[in-house]
Every structure is written in structure tokens, then in C-alpha cells.
Amino acid sequence: MSQDASRLEQSRQQLTKDKQTLSDTQRESDQASAPPLKAAPAPNLNNAIEKPSRAQQVLPADLAAPPKPQINAQGETIGKLINVVA
């Protein structure tokens, strides 16, 4: 008789665990099947960028000046053709 009572108690404990597992599984399933959250709309970057008119666009002074010759490590001018025939 005590074995039957013990088995009955184990069965009840197992039933409680199984109910909890089923509840957890159903909750996870509901969360997984829920529609995804709506993403925030992307900001419109066209309005965030300043667009000066053509009249307002001016080259910096260092770009407007004629280019200065560049000299390499041997002291030779680079970047344009040099006439060495005198």
C-alpha cells in the first residue's frame, strides 16, 4: 500500500513538472509566432545635409592658387615635364 502511495505522489510531482514545462513551451511558442516589432522609419537624410546654391559654393584659397611644384627625395621636381635641354 505504501508503494502505491509513493508512486501516486511521484506521478503527481511529475504531472506538476510536465504542466510547468508545457506552460513554458506554450509561452515561448506564442512569443515566437507573435508578429515582429515594427522597425522605426529611416530618417530622411536629404533634409539633413546642407545644399548651398552654386553662387554660395566657393573654392578654398589653397585650391584656387596655381599648384606649387613638388620635390622628391633627390631634390627633383615632380609632377610636370621639365625641359633639361638648354
Side-chain angles (χ1 to χ4, degrees):
M1 191 60 111
S2 69
Q3 287 181 348
D4 290 339
S6 173
R7 287 183 184 167
L8 180 61
E9 183 58 31
Q10 288 177 352
S11 294
R12 285 182 178 157
Q13 289 176 355
Q14 186 62 42
L15 179 62
T16 303
K17 289 179 186 177
D18 289 346
K19 283 182 178 180
Q20 183 62 40
T21 303
L22 177 63
S23 174
D24 293 345
T25 304
Q26 285 177 334
R27 186 173 359 97
E28 290 172 4
S29 176
D30 290 345
Q31 287 176 353
S33 64
L37 296 175
K38 194 171 188 179
N44 184 356
L45 297 180
N46 290 331
N47 296 334
I49 300 172
E50 282 187 35
K51 296 180 184 175
S53 67
R54 285 277 184 196
Q56 294 173 326
Q57 295 178 4
V58 180
L59 283 176
D62 58 340
L63 290 180
K68 298 176 183 172
Q70 294 180 347
I71 298 177
N72 66 10
Q74 285 79 30
E76 302 165 334
T77 304
I78 56 173
K80 57 182 164 179
L81 182 63
I82 301 173
N83 186 359
V84 292
V85 180

